[in-house]
Amino acid sequence: MKLLDSIFDTAFRFLPHRSKTGLFPIGDPDRSSPVIVTGNYTLTVRRVSKALQGEDVWLLVTDSRGINVWCAAGGGHLTHHDVIAAVRTSQVADRVDHQELILPQLSATGVERNRVEEATGWHATWGPVHATDLPAFLRRGRHAVREERAVRFPMSDRLQMAVMWTAPMVPILWLILWAISGPLPAVVGAVAITAIVLGLFAGMPWLPLRTHRGLLVYGGLALAGFAFGAALFTAAGALTTRNLIVLAAACVVGTGIVSVDVAGSTPLLSSSVNPSDFRVELLVDRCTGAAQCVLVCPRDVLVMNGHVHKVEIVRPANCILCGACIVQCPEDALRFRFDDGRVVEPATIRRTRLNLLGKRTIDVT
Ligand code: SF4
């Protein structure tokens, strides 16, 4: 049953899957055990629980509307209001003798740590990006090393995302192709589209999707899928002009669908629908070295310079413009600046969240 649940959750992870909210024991926690916060996306809860097997902790599941932490926080569905509500309604204060929360790092675009601390009186620490690093984080005294603060997107995760894209798209396109042209072109078209999506995710870390060469990459993938499908038709003895036209249309449509915003479905790349003419700007005079931005940046863009006690932007090309650093800076020392000189102040970033087209239009105050 658990395997079936995992397959279903993986294939249909684009849909919200709500699990129960509240405080749940993992292992045999006592009054001194850590309290780890997560969102109520079923797959997340299952994976965090699995990663914490062998530990004795409390898991505080907040209402992220059944959406994973990264997407929920970025889209305004998981905010500090939800964490504050979870602390107040879960009776966690009756179960432990401390007031220490561990927040998921990927919630930093939406959960303002300062607001949680002010409203609850609890101290909040940022956990690592990946749940699998939680046991090591706990053993080190709630400290994440630099590698654990950055998003990794290994092949296994990328293939899962490929499944998420193909699960709804391929059957629909397959049905359309079947209705238009019969069973063989439908199967070949579906296989070609699946190969395109798999190739895209397999090569994602090396493909320049967010540069002016992105269009060329998508064109190349469509062409490769077409060539693969043509080879299948040849093997089946069905290489006809009609079948090739159907295959070409399937490859163009399939590639077009994933190209809309495949980058935005991962914390590795900035959303394709974001404008590309703005950057994170650091106002050095305002920086007091709190370094909250360093702790929440999922792309290892920022470092703390201990000599001058200031943060520095050292890997600007890695930035995915998520805004987490801006949201968490207690001194408002970071903001977005457009190439034409316009700036987006921290108050605006905190007040608004991204809609499905990557625009900051959703007001969460
Ligand atoms: S530096 Fe860029 S990637 Fe890092 S938190 Fe800030 S906006 Fe996000």
Side-chain angles (χ1 to χ4, degrees):
M1 192 61 191
K2 275 188 176 169
L3 179 67
L4 276 181
D5 286 347
S6 285
I7 292 170
F8 182 83
D9 288 348
T10 303
F12 295 97
R13 59 191 293 171
F14 63 95
L15 296 172
H17 296 260
R18 287 174 190 261
S19 70
K20 280 186 188 165
T21 57
L23 188 67
F24 300 93
I26 293 180
D28 186 20
D30 59 23
R31 303 190 67 79
S32 64
S33 297
V35 177
I36 297 174
V37 175
T38 192
N40 73 328
Y41 179 53
T42 308
L43 196 60
T44 301
V45 172
R46 197 177 299 140
R47 289 187 173 174
V48 172
S49 304
K50 188 177 171 196
L52 288 167
Q53 287 307 308
E55 308 291 327
D56 297 318
V57 299
W58 295 102
L59 191 63
L60 183 57
V61 181
T62 58
D63 187 2
S64 62
R65 284 70 186 170
I67 302 169
N68 70 74
V69 166
W70 171 252
C71 295
H77 306 292
L78 171 61
T79 71
H80 38 277
H81 299 303
D82 300 299
V83 177
I84 293 164
V87 171
R88 287 179 176 161
T89 59
S90 64
Q91 276 125 33
V92 61
D94 297 336
R95 301 291 188 91
V96 296
D97 289 333
H98 61 82
Q99 290 190 310
E100 300 277 337
L101 287 177
I102 298 168
L103 297 172
Q105 185 188 326
L106 290 184
S107 71
T109 52
V111 174
E112 290 178 44
R113 176 179 160 275
N114 286 352
R115 302 270 302 263
V116 172
E117 293 187 341
E118 282 165 18
T120 64
W122 286 56
H123 177 255
T125 308
W126 295 109
V129 166
H130 296 273
T132 47
D133 292 327
L134 275 167
F137 169 85
L138 294 173
R139 270 195 298 281
R140 262 187 240 113
R142 302 178 194 188
H143 172 71
V145 295
R146 187 181 140 209
E147 295 72 31
E148 294 168 353
R149 293 258 170 245
V151 165
R152 304 183 294 267
F153 200 29
M155 183 64 97
S156 55
D157 288 2
R158 300 204 299 278
L159 290 182
Q160 285 180 38
M161 291 304 288
V163 170
M164 184 205 81
W165 276 90
T166 50
M169 179 172 69
V170 170
I172 292 170
L173 289 178
W174 175 76
L175 272 175
I176 294 170
L177 290 173
W178 184 301
I180 294 171
S181 54
L184 184 64
V187 169
V188 171
V191 170
I193 294 168
T194 304
I196 289 169
V197 178
L198 285 174
L200 176 60
F201 277 96
M204 185 172 270
W206 304 279
L207 297 174
L209 296 175
R210 289 292 284 130
T211 69
H212 60 282
R213 287 178 290 168
L215 269 180
L216 280 179
V217 173
Y218 288 117
L221 282 166
L223 216 58
F226 177 77
F228 180 51
L232 292 179
F233 277 133
T234 305
L239 190 65
T240 65
T241 306
R242 186 171 186 276
N243 282 348
L244 287 179
I245 291 170
V246 171
L247 175 65
C251 291
V252 168
V253 170
T255 310
I257 290 172
V258 285
S259 70
V260 171
D261 196 17
V262 75
S265 62
T266 125
L268 199 66
L269 302 166
S270 67
S271 169
S272 311
V273 290
N274 262 345
S276 57
D277 59 341
F278 69 108
R279 313 272 170 268
V280 168
E281 178 182 49
L282 173 65
L283 305 174
V284 180
D285 290 348
R286 285 194 194 170
C287 178
T288 57
Q292 284 299 309
C293 54
V294 179
L295 297 181
V296 298
C297 177
R299 294 290 284 129
D300 199 20
V301 173
L302 307 148
V303 295
M304 175 70 185
N305 183 334
H307 297 298
V308 291
H309 204 63
K310 301 258 185 204
V311 165
E312 291 175 357
I313 297 177
V314 289
R315 280 172 280 274
N318 280 6
C319 180
I320 54 169
L321 305 168
C322 68
C325 54
I326 301 171
V327 169
Q328 302 302 332
C329 177
E331 305 298 336
D332 286 353
L334 292 147
R335 61 188 184 184
F336 286 136
R337 175 177 285 277
F338 283 84
D339 292 348
D340 64 9
R342 287 175 297 140
V343 295
V344 186
E345 296 293 352
T348 305
I349 306 299
R350 293 193 185 104
R351 196 180 68 245
T352 59
R353 297 291 183 270
L354 305 175
N355 66 13
L356 279 177
L357 290 176
K359 308 282 183 214
R360 287 193 174 273
T361 58
I362 298 172
D363 196 324
V364 295
T365 49

